[in-house]
Amino acid sequence: MKQSDLSHLVQPFHVMELVKQANAMEAQGKPVIHLSIGEPDFPMPQPVQQALIKAVAENQTRYTAALGLPELREAISTYYRTAFQVTVPAQQIVITSGASTALMYACLALINPGQEVMLADPGYPCNKTFVQMASGIPRFVQTREENNFQPSWDELAREWKPHTAGVLLASPNNPTGTQLSITAMKDIVQGVTDRGGFTIIDEIYQSLCYDSAAQSVLQITGAPSAQWPLVVINSFSKYFGMTGLRLGWMVVPDSLVPAIERLAQNLNICPNTPTQWAALACFQSDSLNICEERRQTFKARRDFLLQALPTAGIEIQSTPDSAFYIYAKAPFDSERFCRELLEKALVCTVPGKDFSEHRGGAMLRFSYANSMHNLELAVERIRRFNLQT
Ligand SMILES: Cc1ncc(COP(=O)(O)O)c(C=O)c1O
């Protein structure tokens, strides 16, 4: 069968090969430690689980409105007001099937064929695919370790072309676990807006930050508008530990809502209904308390790895202060290092190739979505492996 050009453009995740190998080794009884996983090792909070069971028992299983359950849009609006002191009207909040669908809608609604969208290198590998699906061209902007792998407006401005449509960034970012400062964010949104472009900020790891209060670009701009042509992406996947429930949201200017609604009606009909009812329980204080405890646990793990990995021969130059990732220098070619580390030391990590065209071969990502006990064991294994190579 003849396949489309787009189907060939879409890249595989190289890490999946490594994870497949790790799983096969585990099936043979080898005690592999996974530091490769991009999802919390905690289940969804108990009150959310109960709300999900209740929603199914009460047959909340029909389609909802394409833009999502009005109650959930209101709850997110209230969350922005109470947690971030920003007013975001519920009608500007669209519920989606995870941040992934929100990113896809944003790209389809904003990019014309042949237009360029600037992405940070390193960054979340799927972003280029969302841009390509909209017939846009991803343009990677190299970031520097000493700038915590986040771009400045000056760096973006230098790459701006007449056919550049906008910028798509994540803060906190994957694979780096680093954020844009409020000042840098402000410069970027202002600079992009002055050039007539759009800014998409993916805040999926927003509340998983360890050295300062959680922040949102919306604290700078207020709700997106004609003055601030901005789309903010978020998700229940990470902070609320609901990866498999496939639920997220986006905040858009009023003028973009009808286009997003048409896309949602055609491409997805609506997000998962029982999950939307369950997500209402995320904003109850008991659920938020559970998530806060987990954030503290992640912080302790981050603190441990930040001091322990360098003693095991892993160099870290940036300051990962968010998400659950550390992006560090591999002692030698990262693909070979990660493969040998798995085969000889039974620790599964992710080579940088999936995240970066620029220096991916030199870098690797550690995920600390694993218990402290396993992290301690993993560091010991890495130390011994590095001594032997
Ligand atoms: C930066 C970033 N954005 C978006 C996603 C997709 O998340 P979701 O599960 O909400 O679709 C991920 C998943 O790892 C991610 O790391």
Side-chain angles (χ1 to χ4, degrees):
M1 190 185 281
K2 276 189 193 160
Q3 282 182 224
S4 68
D5 294 344
L6 178 65
S7 73
H8 293 294
L9 265 183
V10 177
Q11 300 283 311
F13 279 145
H14 299 99
V15 62
M16 292 323 287
E17 286 311 308
L18 215 62
V19 172
K20 255 192 248 165
Q21 193 183 341
N23 291 342
M25 289 166 70
E26 269 187 312
Q28 293 163 9
K30 295 187 177 158
V32 174
I33 299 175
H34 289 272
L35 303 186
S36 49
I37 297 174
E39 62 181 331
D41 51 320
F42 301 111
M44 72 182 115
Q46 189 69 15
V48 182
Q49 192 196 82
Q50 281 160 4
L52 180 61
I53 292 167
K54 183 163 174 279
V56 174
E58 291 176 356
N59 291 318
Q60 299 285 12
T61 49
R62 304 176 67 132
Y63 294 141
T64 64
L67 296 176
L69 206 61
E71 291 87 337
L72 186 55
R73 298 169 75 195
E74 274 302 339
I76 294 171
S77 169
T78 306
Y79 181 60
Y80 276 117
R81 196 167 46 250
T82 51
F84 297 96
Q85 294 76 51
V86 272
T87 303
V88 183
Q91 76 260 18
Q92 288 185 244
I93 297 168
V94 179
I95 313 298
T96 58
S97 302
S100 305
T101 303
L103 285 161
M104 180 174 76
Y105 291 168
C107 288
L108 291 173
L110 293 170
I111 304 167
N112 275 321
Q115 286 187 316
E116 279 190 3
V117 177
M118 287 200 252
L119 310 172
D121 178 326
Y124 180 52
C126 305
N127 286 343
K128 63 176 176 303
T129 311
F130 297 126
V131 172
Q132 288 166 336
M133 277 181 69
S135 302
I137 301 166
R139 182 175 189 85
F140 293 101
V141 176
Q142 287 170 25
T143 59
R144 283 173 293 142
E145 200 156 359
E146 55 274 26
N147 292 347
N148 282 330
F149 297 107
Q150 288 285 3
S152 66
W153 167 242
D154 282 350
E155 285 165 332
L156 294 169
R158 253 180 264 136
E159 305 277 338
W160 194 279
K161 302 273 173 351
H163 56 289
T164 302
V167 171
L168 192 179
L169 300 173
S171 179
N173 198 10
N174 173 8
T176 60
T178 57
Q179 310 184 61
L180 280 163
S181 68
I182 279 284
T183 326
M185 187 103 88
K186 193 172 182 176
D187 287 349
I188 290 172
V189 182
Q190 186 68 66
V192 173
T193 302
D194 290 347
R195 301 237 175 165
F198 64 76
T199 312
I200 303 173
I201 303 282
D202 179 354
E203 298 187 341
I204 183 169
Y205 296 100
Q206 178 176 59
S207 294
L208 289 171
C209 56
Y210 311 116
D211 298 334
S212 53
Q215 61 182 35
S216 171
V217 62
L218 297 169
Q219 290 166 306
I220 302 167
T221 59
S225 59
Q227 190 200 345
W228 293 111
L230 174 74
V231 172
V232 176
I233 308 282
N234 214 317
S235 176
F236 290 92
S237 285
K238 310 289 177 169
Y239 184 58
F240 296 107
M242 293 164 61
T243 41
L245 275 75
R246 310 307 306 128
L247 204 66
W249 73 87
M250 60 201 296
V251 183
V252 302
D254 261 327
S255 60
L256 203 64
V257 174
I260 300 288
E261 185 169 22
R262 292 194 299 276
L263 285 165
Q265 287 167 344
N266 279 270
L267 297 179
N268 207 30
I269 303 186
C270 72
N272 181 300
T273 300
T275 300
Q276 290 190 73
W277 284 105
L280 281 171
C282 289
F283 304 107
Q284 292 170 196
S285 55
D286 46 359
S287 301
L288 290 171
N289 289 342
I290 293 169
C291 293
E292 172 54 20
E293 254 173 54
R294 291 172 177 181
R295 190 188 67 82
Q296 300 280 0
T297 304
F298 275 128
K299 178 179 172 5
R301 295 171 181 177
R302 191 278 313 244
D303 290 347
F304 167 70
L305 283 185
L306 269 189
Q307 64 79 25
L309 281 175
T311 69
I314 301 291
E315 199 183 320
I316 306 167
Q317 282 174 6
S318 61
T319 311
D321 65 351
S322 44
F324 34 76
Y325 307 117
I326 293 177
Y327 195 57
K329 212 168 260 167
F332 50 90
D333 171 76
S334 69
E335 238 186 315
R336 190 159 67 83
F337 178 81
C338 292
R339 201 179 50 249
E340 290 183 11
L341 187 69
L342 173 62
E343 287 166 359
K344 297 183 183 158
L346 306 182
V347 177
C348 187
T349 53
V350 184
K353 193 171 156 188
D354 276 334
F355 309 103
S356 168
E357 290 193 343
H358 170 47
R359 275 181 64 217
M363 308 295 290
L364 83 163
R365 186 190 80 176
F366 296 91
S367 157
Y368 44 92
N370 208 328
S371 67
M372 188 64 108
H373 173 72
N374 279 341
L375 296 182
E376 285 167 358
L377 264 180
V379 168
E380 210 31 59
R381 290 183 189 178
I382 294 168
R383 190 194 320 278
R384 267 187 271 130
F385 174 79
N386 277 338
L387 283 175
Q388 283 157 15
T389 50

